Amino acid sequence: MHFPRAAVFAALPFLASALTTGDRHRGYACPAPVLNVTAVFGPGLSAGASIHFASDPDFNTTTVQRYTPWHQPTFQVTIKPSTPEDVQFIVKTANKYHVPFYATGGGHGGDAKSNTVHNAIDIDLSNFQENVFDAAANTLTVGPGISFGDFQKNLYDVGKFVPTGNAFCVNMIGATLGAAHGPFQGLGGLGIDRLRSVRLVTAAGDIVTASDTENSDLFWAVRGAGANFGIVLSATYEALDAPNGGNLVQADFQYDGAANYSLWQLLQSWDTTYPKEMGLTITAALVRATGKVSLTSSMTYFGPQEDAQPWIDQFLSLNPVRWQNQTMPYYNASAAQAFGTGANSCRKGMWNSHPSAAAKVTNPETYMSVLNQYAKIMTDRPWLTGIMFLQRFNTTVTQSVPKNKQGVYPGRDFGTLIMINNFFDGADHDADVYQATAPLRSQLAATSGFGKLQTYINYAYGDEGPAVWFGEENLPRLAKLKKQWDPKNKFGAAYPIPF
């Protein structure tokens, strides 16, 4: 059951009776809890806050569930704060009792290091639903309970946009802390480029604001390494006018395996001409019924049909087995992509690992070879379902941002993001999947134009290291700030800053 503030003074059993070694929902596994969490935390929470146990019948529907159980943290209990003061109190109380805590926004994290967090307090931020457009300031301020889709719809209604990532269900603030690559970055830069301030709870439990004029060093660190520095309660973004009345062209093309070279050649031909209005996602997978690969390209063009048509024609020249073309509000494009299957990217509960790489040039031979190898890996493993997932963006705006406005994120020249997206049946196959697919990442990195592995931190597997996540040149400054703001290393388990 969950316990609102009003119920905490009743006689309550110790947590040991509510959680057992059999409780495995979203990583709950704590055979020897040390606190009566309800008694310790309950009296200091607001009336709107609540405490949730994994044994509650409605637990899976009343708390945010993690996107994947792969390498997940383990929790003693979930607490859903309702006010900023609740978050402060949880952090300070957890510190007092030496209990780790872990904030959950949309639950879309998936990395190799989060399982270093054990028996933590899960701070579920889904109650923070602020989503307010200030017309006078031309800004939108949102809480950590707001997804890309919520964010986009509010802006669309007032004729505005801010660059976001691709999947409508992903948490806006969580993605921004990594950078927020996405299909609209050619027109507006990365999500962090439109960020103007954040309000966060620090490791000490203080509420502070970070912006260009207040705690500016912290604001620099938040833009690319934010998960290492606090729990963001709200973020304010400066909006841009939406092109074409906020409507875009969305087109999908499906190809059989015969396109597993010509499609990559087309992509290569755009290495120096890729339009700023276009975003592109390509997925390639093994069709088990036929034993052959199939490829799907989904493009968005933030402009009128006549401007998009020359690019559509180039896809059509590759003879897709089917295709479609439609115009829609930009906030609908995520779900509509890939012939209306875009919502599949929001499914939760699947065991998922994902070695990834970034590129600034396209190598058709490598992409063709990697896809063929990946198909063979899946053929040999009936329990493995995989997708070679590629996203392509224009980088003109991202690279033109002045150095003093860029924040930490080192990947402004990442024109292409490539992920080997593995879905399989559990931990018993982790080592095999990694050993089979990590070499594919290495091959992609070798011909990426960087000469070494680079990847987007929000897509990172977790073994790449801080120089890849944050940029080698940024590490000394980050280490200094980490010592200042989080000296006991309360945050950043997934992608830690060495200090």
mmCIF file of all heavy atoms in Angstrom, residues 405-443:
data_model
loop_
_atom_site.group_PDB
_atom_site.id
_atom_site.type_symbol
_atom_site.label_atom_id
_atom_site.label_comp_id
_atom_site.label_asym_id
_atom_site.label_seq_id
_atom_site.Cartn_x
_atom_site.Cartn_y
_atom_site.Cartn_z
ATOM 1 N N LYS A 405 28.791 29.519 -24.046
ATOM 2 C CA LYS A 405 27.376 29.185 -23.893
ATOM 3 C C LYS A 405 27.116 27.691 -24.093
ATOM 4 O O LYS A 405 25.975 27.252 -24.032
ATOM 5 C CB LYS A 405 26.534 29.966 -24.899
ATOM 6 C CG LYS A 405 26.593 31.475 -24.738
ATOM 7 C CD LYS A 405 25.891 31.935 -23.475
ATOM 8 C CE LYS A 405 25.832 33.456 -23.412
ATOM 9 N NZ LYS A 405 25.173 33.922 -22.165
ATOM 10 N N GLN A 406 28.147 26.918 -24.307
ATOM 11 C CA GLN A 406 27.952 25.530 -24.723
ATOM 12 C C GLN A 406 27.672 24.555 -23.590
ATOM 13 O O GLN A 406 27.067 23.514 -23.815
ATOM 14 C CB GLN A 406 29.188 25.044 -25.489
ATOM 15 C CG GLN A 406 29.333 25.643 -26.862
ATOM 16 C CD GLN A 406 30.495 25.063 -27.637
ATOM 17 O OE1 GLN A 406 31.179 24.145 -27.163
ATOM 18 N NE2 GLN A 406 30.736 25.570 -28.834
ATOM 19 N N GLY A 407 28.124 24.824 -22.381
ATOM 20 C CA GLY A 407 28.039 23.829 -21.338
ATOM 21 C C GLY A 407 29.090 22.745 -21.533
ATOM 22 O O GLY A 407 30.042 22.884 -22.315
ATOM 23 N N VAL A 408 28.905 21.623 -20.848
ATOM 24 C CA VAL A 408 29.890 20.547 -20.833
ATOM 25 C C VAL A 408 29.860 19.699 -22.099
ATOM 26 O O VAL A 408 30.895 19.263 -22.596
ATOM 27 C CB VAL A 408 29.644 19.628 -19.606
ATOM 28 C CG1 VAL A 408 30.515 18.381 -19.667
ATOM 29 C CG2 VAL A 408 29.892 20.388 -18.316
ATOM 30 N N TYR A 409 28.691 19.446 -22.626
ATOM 31 C CA TYR A 409 28.509 18.400 -23.630
ATOM 32 C C TYR A 409 29.507 18.489 -24.774
ATOM 33 O O TYR A 409 29.599 19.524 -25.458
ATOM 34 C CB TYR A 409 27.087 18.429 -24.173
ATOM 35 C CG TYR A 409 26.826 17.340 -25.185
ATOM 36 C CD1 TYR A 409 26.917 16.005 -24.819
ATOM 37 C CD2 TYR A 409 26.541 17.645 -26.510
ATOM 38 C CE1 TYR A 409 26.715 14.993 -25.740
ATOM 39 C CE2 TYR A 409 26.322 16.644 -27.436
ATOM 40 C CZ TYR A 409 26.419 15.319 -27.042
ATOM 41 O OH TYR A 409 26.222 14.319 -27.956
ATOM 42 N N PRO A 410 30.263 17.409 -25.065
ATOM 43 C CA PRO A 410 31.338 17.465 -26.062
ATOM 44 C C PRO A 410 30.936 17.060 -27.476
ATOM 45 O O PRO A 410 31.777 17.076 -28.373
ATOM 46 C CB PRO A 410 32.353 16.464 -25.509
ATOM 47 C CG PRO A 410 31.504 15.403 -24.874
ATOM 48 C CD PRO A 410 30.316 16.155 -24.288
ATOM 49 N N GLY A 411 29.671 16.687 -27.715
ATOM 50 C CA GLY A 411 29.317 16.052 -28.976
ATOM 51 C C GLY A 411 28.596 16.927 -29.978
ATOM 52 O O GLY A 411 27.710 16.454 -30.694
ATOM 53 N N ARG A 412 28.987 18.183 -30.087
ATOM 54 C CA ARG A 412 28.265 19.095 -30.967
ATOM 55 C C ARG A 412 28.489 18.796 -32.450
ATOM 56 O O ARG A 412 27.731 19.266 -33.306
ATOM 57 C CB ARG A 412 28.637 20.540 -30.641
ATOM 58 C CG ARG A 412 28.097 20.954 -29.281
ATOM 59 C CD ARG A 412 28.452 22.357 -28.862
ATOM 60 N NE ARG A 412 27.717 22.674 -27.645
ATOM 61 C CZ ARG A 412 26.483 23.150 -27.608
ATOM 62 N NH1 ARG A 412 25.849 23.392 -28.756
ATOM 63 N NH2 ARG A 412 25.875 23.387 -26.474
ATOM 64 N N ASP A 413 29.509 18.036 -32.764
ATOM 65 C CA ASP A 413 29.744 17.643 -34.156
ATOM 66 C C ASP A 413 29.269 16.224 -34.433
ATOM 67 O O ASP A 413 29.644 15.638 -35.451
ATOM 68 C CB ASP A 413 31.214 17.791 -34.512
ATOM 69 C CG ASP A 413 32.150 17.055 -33.560
ATOM 70 O OD1 ASP A 413 31.669 16.532 -32.536
ATOM 71 O OD2 ASP A 413 33.364 17.016 -33.829
ATOM 72 N N PHE A 414 28.420 15.681 -33.563
ATOM 73 C CA PHE A 414 27.858 14.351 -33.804
ATOM 74 C C PHE A 414 26.700 14.479 -34.800
ATOM 75 O O PHE A 414 25.581 14.827 -34.428
ATOM 76 C CB PHE A 414 27.322 13.726 -32.514
ATOM 77 C CG PHE A 414 28.369 13.378 -31.480
ATOM 78 C CD1 PHE A 414 27.981 12.871 -30.249
ATOM 79 C CD2 PHE A 414 29.716 13.544 -31.731
ATOM 80 C CE1 PHE A 414 28.920 12.538 -29.295
ATOM 81 C CE2 PHE A 414 30.674 13.219 -30.772
ATOM 82 C CZ PHE A 414 30.270 12.720 -29.549
ATOM 83 N N GLY A 415 26.965 14.184 -36.058
ATOM 84 C CA GLY A 415 25.912 14.238 -37.055
ATOM 85 C C GLY A 415 25.048 12.992 -37.072
ATOM 86 O O GLY A 415 23.880 13.035 -37.453
ATOM 87 N N THR A 416 25.634 11.863 -36.645
ATOM 88 C CA THR A 416 24.926 10.585 -36.664
ATOM 89 C C THR A 416 25.134 9.871 -35.339
ATOM 90 O O THR A 416 26.254 9.813 -34.827
ATOM 91 C CB THR A 416 25.436 9.687 -37.806
ATOM 92 O OG1 THR A 416 25.254 10.366 -39.050
ATOM 93 C CG2 THR A 416 24.671 8.374 -37.858
ATOM 94 N N LEU A 417 24.062 9.331 -34.792
ATOM 95 C CA LEU A 417 24.108 8.503 -33.590
ATOM 96 C C LEU A 417 23.672 7.104 -33.980
ATOM 97 O O LEU A 417 22.636 6.931 -34.637
ATOM 98 C CB LEU A 417 23.178 9.064 -32.511
ATOM 99 C CG LEU A 417 23.393 10.528 -32.122
ATOM 100 C CD1 LEU A 417 22.310 10.981 -31.135
ATOM 101 C CD2 LEU A 417 24.771 10.741 -31.528
ATOM 102 N N ILE A 418 24.455 6.104 -33.597
ATOM 103 C CA ILE A 418 24.180 4.721 -33.991
ATOM 104 C C ILE A 418 24.148 3.849 -32.745
ATOM 105 O O ILE A 418 25.076 3.890 -31.922
ATOM 106 C CB ILE A 418 25.260 4.183 -34.953
ATOM 107 C CG1 ILE A 418 25.581 5.211 -36.025
ATOM 108 C CG2 ILE A 418 24.806 2.868 -35.591
ATOM 109 C CD1 ILE A 418 26.927 5.027 -36.671
ATOM 110 N N MET A 419 23.103 3.064 -32.622
ATOM 111 C CA MET A 419 22.939 2.209 -31.449
ATOM 112 C C MET A 419 22.690 0.771 -31.894
ATOM 113 O O MET A 419 21.904 0.518 -32.806
ATOM 114 C CB MET A 419 21.767 2.697 -30.590
ATOM 115 C CG MET A 419 21.540 1.934 -29.313
ATOM 116 S SD MET A 419 20.058 2.503 -28.424
ATOM 117 C CE MET A 419 20.513 4.177 -27.999
ATOM 118 N N ILE A 420 23.378 -0.157 -31.240
ATOM 119 C CA ILE A 420 23.082 -1.577 -31.396
ATOM 120 C C ILE A 420 22.168 -1.934 -30.237
ATOM 121 O O ILE A 420 22.598 -2.111 -29.100
ATOM 122 C CB ILE A 420 24.369 -2.425 -31.373
ATOM 123 C CG1 ILE A 420 25.347 -1.937 -32.456
ATOM 124 C CG2 ILE A 420 24.049 -3.897 -31.546
ATOM 125 C CD1 ILE A 420 24.830 -2.046 -33.865
ATOM 126 N N ASN A 421 20.882 -2.000 -30.505
ATOM 127 C CA ASN A 421 19.848 -2.048 -29.468
ATOM 128 C C ASN A 421 19.417 -3.502 -29.249
ATOM 129 O O ASN A 421 18.674 -4.067 -30.061
ATOM 130 C CB ASN A 421 18.665 -1.196 -29.911
ATOM 131 C CG ASN A 421 17.942 -0.544 -28.754
ATOM 132 O OD1 ASN A 421 18.368 -0.643 -27.606
ATOM 133 N ND2 ASN A 421 16.849 0.128 -29.055
ATOM 134 N N ASN A 422 19.882 -4.101 -28.151
ATOM 135 C CA ASN A 422 19.676 -5.527 -27.895
ATOM 136 C C ASN A 422 18.542 -5.751 -26.897
ATOM 137 O O ASN A 422 18.559 -5.192 -25.804
ATOM 138 C CB ASN A 422 20.954 -6.144 -27.303
ATOM 139 C CG ASN A 422 22.168 -5.944 -28.179
ATOM 140 O OD1 ASN A 422 22.150 -6.278 -29.352
ATOM 141 N ND2 ASN A 422 23.230 -5.369 -27.610
ATOM 142 N N PHE A 423 17.604 -6.608 -27.264
ATOM 143 C CA PHE A 423 16.535 -7.014 -26.352
ATOM 144 C C PHE A 423 16.626 -8.529 -26.179
ATOM 145 O O PHE A 423 16.590 -9.277 -27.160
ATOM 146 C CB PHE A 423 15.161 -6.635 -26.917
ATOM 147 C CG PHE A 423 14.977 -5.155 -27.100
ATOM 148 C CD1 PHE A 423 15.278 -4.547 -28.309
ATOM 149 C CD2 PHE A 423 14.516 -4.365 -26.057
ATOM 150 C CE1 PHE A 423 15.124 -3.184 -28.485
ATOM 151 C CE2 PHE A 423 14.348 -2.993 -26.214
ATOM 152 C CZ PHE A 423 14.652 -2.407 -27.430
ATOM 153 N N PHE A 424 16.738 -8.970 -24.917
ATOM 154 C CA PHE A 424 16.903 -10.406 -24.693
ATOM 155 C C PHE A 424 16.316 -10.804 -23.351
ATOM 156 O O PHE A 424 15.614 -10.011 -22.702
ATOM 157 C CB PHE A 424 18.368 -10.825 -24.842
ATOM 158 C CG PHE A 424 19.368 -10.020 -24.029
ATOM 159 C CD1 PHE A 424 19.949 -10.557 -22.899
ATOM 160 C CD2 PHE A 424 19.741 -8.744 -24.418
ATOM 161 C CE1 PHE A 424 20.880 -9.835 -22.165
ATOM 162 C CE2 PHE A 424 20.679 -8.020 -23.704
ATOM 163 C CZ PHE A 424 21.244 -8.568 -22.571
ATOM 164 N N ASP A 425 16.577 -12.027 -22.926
ATOM 165 C CA ASP A 425 15.773 -12.644 -21.887
ATOM 166 C C ASP A 425 16.338 -12.572 -20.488
ATOM 167 O O ASP A 425 15.808 -13.197 -19.580
ATOM 168 C CB ASP A 425 15.495 -14.112 -22.247
ATOM 169 C CG ASP A 425 16.784 -14.893 -22.528
ATOM 170 O OD1 ASP A 425 17.871 -14.284 -22.469
ATOM 171 O OD2 ASP A 425 16.691 -16.092 -22.811
ATOM 172 N N GLY A 426 17.405 -11.814 -20.257
ATOM 173 C CA GLY A 426 17.849 -11.653 -18.885
ATOM 174 C C GLY A 426 19.340 -11.742 -18.686
ATOM 175 O O GLY A 426 20.133 -11.891 -19.633
ATOM 176 N N ALA A 427 19.730 -11.666 -17.416
ATOM 177 C CA ALA A 427 21.133 -11.521 -17.038
ATOM 178 C C ALA A 427 22.010 -12.685 -17.481
ATOM 179 O O ALA A 427 23.216 -12.500 -17.702
ATOM 180 C CB ALA A 427 21.233 -11.342 -15.523
ATOM 181 N N ASP A 428 21.443 -13.861 -17.633
ATOM 182 C CA ASP A 428 22.258 -15.020 -18.010
ATOM 183 C C ASP A 428 22.953 -14.830 -19.349
ATOM 184 O O ASP A 428 23.992 -15.459 -19.610
ATOM 185 C CB ASP A 428 21.399 -16.286 -18.054
ATOM 186 C CG ASP A 428 20.990 -16.762 -16.669
ATOM 187 O OD1 ASP A 428 21.558 -16.252 -15.679
ATOM 188 O OD2 ASP A 428 20.094 -17.610 -16.579
ATOM 189 N N HIS A 429 22.389 -13.987 -20.193
ATOM 190 C CA HIS A 429 22.968 -13.777 -21.517
ATOM 191 C C HIS A 429 23.697 -12.442 -21.648
ATOM 192 O O HIS A 429 24.140 -12.087 -22.755
ATOM 193 C CB HIS A 429 21.880 -13.870 -22.587
ATOM 194 C CG HIS A 429 21.425 -15.266 -22.845
ATOM 195 N ND1 HIS A 429 20.100 -15.636 -22.823
ATOM 196 C CD2 HIS A 429 22.120 -16.397 -23.121
ATOM 197 C CE1 HIS A 429 20.005 -16.931 -23.080
ATOM 198 N NE2 HIS A 429 21.216 -17.412 -23.270
ATOM 199 N N ASP A 430 23.835 -11.698 -20.562
ATOM 200 C CA ASP A 430 24.483 -10.383 -20.623
ATOM 201 C C ASP A 430 25.880 -10.459 -21.226
ATOM 202 O O ASP A 430 26.220 -9.708 -22.155
ATOM 203 C CB ASP A 430 24.594 -9.782 -19.214
ATOM 204 C CG ASP A 430 23.454 -8.837 -18.891
ATOM 205 O OD1 ASP A 430 22.734 -8.428 -19.819
ATOM 206 O OD2 ASP A 430 23.288 -8.509 -17.707
ATOM 207 N N ALA A 431 26.715 -11.325 -20.684
ATOM 208 C CA ALA A 431 28.110 -11.384 -21.112
ATOM 209 C C ALA A 431 28.211 -11.777 -22.584
ATOM 210 O O ALA A 431 29.002 -11.200 -23.345
ATOM 211 C CB ALA A 431 28.893 -12.362 -20.244
ATOM 212 N N ASP A 432 27.407 -12.734 -23.008
ATOM 213 C CA ASP A 432 27.450 -13.185 -24.394
ATOM 214 C C ASP A 432 27.037 -12.074 -25.345
ATOM 215 O O ASP A 432 27.680 -11.854 -26.385
ATOM 216 C CB ASP A 432 26.542 -14.406 -24.556
ATOM 217 C CG ASP A 432 26.511 -14.903 -25.994
ATOM 218 O OD1 ASP A 432 27.584 -15.085 -26.588
ATOM 219 O OD2 ASP A 432 25.397 -15.090 -26.527
ATOM 220 N N VAL A 433 25.957 -11.355 -25.000
ATOM 221 C CA VAL A 433 25.484 -10.279 -25.873
ATOM 222 C C VAL A 433 26.528 -9.175 -25.961
ATOM 223 O O VAL A 433 26.801 -8.635 -27.046
ATOM 224 C CB VAL A 433 24.136 -9.729 -25.363
ATOM 225 C CG1 VAL A 433 23.746 -8.463 -26.111
ATOM 226 C CG2 VAL A 433 23.046 -10.782 -25.528
ATOM 227 N N TYR A 434 27.137 -8.844 -24.842
ATOM 228 C CA TYR A 434 28.161 -7.803 -24.852
ATOM 229 C C TYR A 434 29.360 -8.228 -25.702
ATOM 230 O O TYR A 434 29.858 -7.456 -26.533
ATOM 231 C CB TYR A 434 28.602 -7.475 -23.433
ATOM 232 C CG TYR A 434 29.656 -6.384 -23.370
ATOM 233 C CD1 TYR A 434 29.296 -5.058 -23.551
ATOM 234 C CD2 TYR A 434 30.994 -6.691 -23.161
ATOM 235 C CE1 TYR A 434 30.250 -4.051 -23.512
ATOM 236 C CE2 TYR A 434 31.963 -5.696 -23.128
ATOM 237 C CZ TYR A 434 31.586 -4.375 -23.294
ATOM 238 O OH TYR A 434 32.535 -3.390 -23.256
ATOM 239 N N GLN A 435 29.830 -9.436 -25.495
ATOM 240 C CA GLN A 435 30.992 -9.921 -26.247
ATOM 241 C C GLN A 435 30.714 -9.991 -27.741
ATOM 242 O O GLN A 435 31.605 -9.778 -28.568
ATOM 243 C CB GLN A 435 31.412 -11.285 -25.718
ATOM 244 C CG GLN A 435 32.026 -11.234 -24.326
ATOM 245 C CD GLN A 435 32.127 -12.602 -23.677
ATOM 246 O OE1 GLN A 435 31.859 -13.631 -24.302
ATOM 247 N NE2 GLN A 435 32.482 -12.622 -22.395
ATOM 248 N N ALA A 436 29.448 -10.249 -28.094
ATOM 249 C CA ALA A 436 29.094 -10.351 -29.513
ATOM 250 C C ALA A 436 28.900 -8.987 -30.162
ATOM 251 O O ALA A 436 29.262 -8.797 -31.339
ATOM 252 C CB ALA A 436 27.830 -11.191 -29.672
ATOM 253 N N THR A 437 28.334 -8.032 -29.432
ATOM 254 C CA THR A 437 27.935 -6.776 -30.067
ATOM 255 C C THR A 437 28.884 -5.603 -29.808
ATOM 256 O O THR A 437 28.897 -4.657 -30.601
ATOM 257 C CB THR A 437 26.514 -6.374 -29.623
ATOM 258 O OG1 THR A 437 26.472 -6.196 -28.202
ATOM 259 C CG2 THR A 437 25.506 -7.438 -30.030
ATOM 260 N N ALA A 438 29.662 -5.638 -28.735
ATOM 261 C CA ALA A 438 30.618 -4.547 -28.503
ATOM 262 C C ALA A 438 31.611 -4.391 -29.662
ATOM 263 O O ALA A 438 31.978 -3.253 -30.012
ATOM 264 C CB ALA A 438 31.345 -4.742 -27.180
ATOM 265 N N PRO A 439 32.083 -5.476 -30.299
ATOM 266 C CA PRO A 439 32.963 -5.294 -31.458
ATOM 267 C C PRO A 439 32.307 -4.543 -32.620
ATOM 268 O O PRO A 439 33.004 -3.886 -33.404
ATOM 269 C CB PRO A 439 33.313 -6.730 -31.870
ATOM 270 C CG PRO A 439 33.197 -7.513 -30.601
ATOM 271 C CD PRO A 439 32.023 -6.903 -29.890
ATOM 272 N N LEU A 440 30.987 -4.632 -32.742
ATOM 273 C CA LEU A 440 30.296 -3.865 -33.776
ATOM 274 C C LEU A 440 30.435 -2.374 -33.494
ATOM 275 O O LEU A 440 30.640 -1.569 -34.418
ATOM 276 C CB LEU A 440 28.818 -4.260 -33.844
ATOM 277 C CG LEU A 440 28.519 -5.738 -34.084
ATOM 278 C CD1 LEU A 440 27.009 -5.959 -34.153
ATOM 279 C CD2 LEU A 440 29.194 -6.237 -35.357
ATOM 280 N N ARG A 441 30.319 -2.007 -32.236
ATOM 281 C CA ARG A 441 30.523 -0.607 -31.843
ATOM 282 C C ARG A 441 31.931 -0.157 -32.223
ATOM 283 O O ARG A 441 32.129 0.959 -32.729
ATOM 284 C CB ARG A 441 30.284 -0.450 -30.345
ATOM 285 C CG ARG A 441 30.592 0.929 -29.801
ATOM 286 C CD ARG A 441 30.355 1.023 -28.300
ATOM 287 N NE ARG A 441 31.220 0.125 -27.546
ATOM 288 C CZ ARG A 441 31.258 0.099 -26.210
ATOM 289 N NH1 ARG A 441 30.466 0.899 -25.504
ATOM 290 N NH2 ARG A 441 32.061 -0.739 -25.580
ATOM 291 N N SER A 442 32.910 -0.999 -31.975
ATOM 292 C CA SER A 442 34.294 -0.658 -32.308
ATOM 293 C C SER A 442 34.470 -0.435 -33.808
ATOM 294 O O SER A 442 35.201 0.476 -34.232
ATOM 295 C CB SER A 442 35.237 -1.760 -31.833
ATOM 296 O OG SER A 442 35.182 -1.920 -30.422
ATOM 297 N N GLN A 443 33.820 -1.243 -34.617
ATOM 298 C CA GLN A 443 33.906 -1.067 -36.064
ATOM 299 C C GLN A 443 33.262 0.245 -36.496
ATOM 300 O O GLN A 443 33.798 0.954 -37.371
ATOM 301 C CB GLN A 443 33.226 -2.242 -36.768
ATOM 302 C CG GLN A 443 33.923 -3.574 -36.571
ATOM 303 C CD GLN A 443 33.106 -4.730 -37.122
ATOM 304 O OE1 GLN A 443 32.557 -4.660 -38.221
ATOM 305 N NE2 GLN A 443 33.009 -5.811 -36.352
#
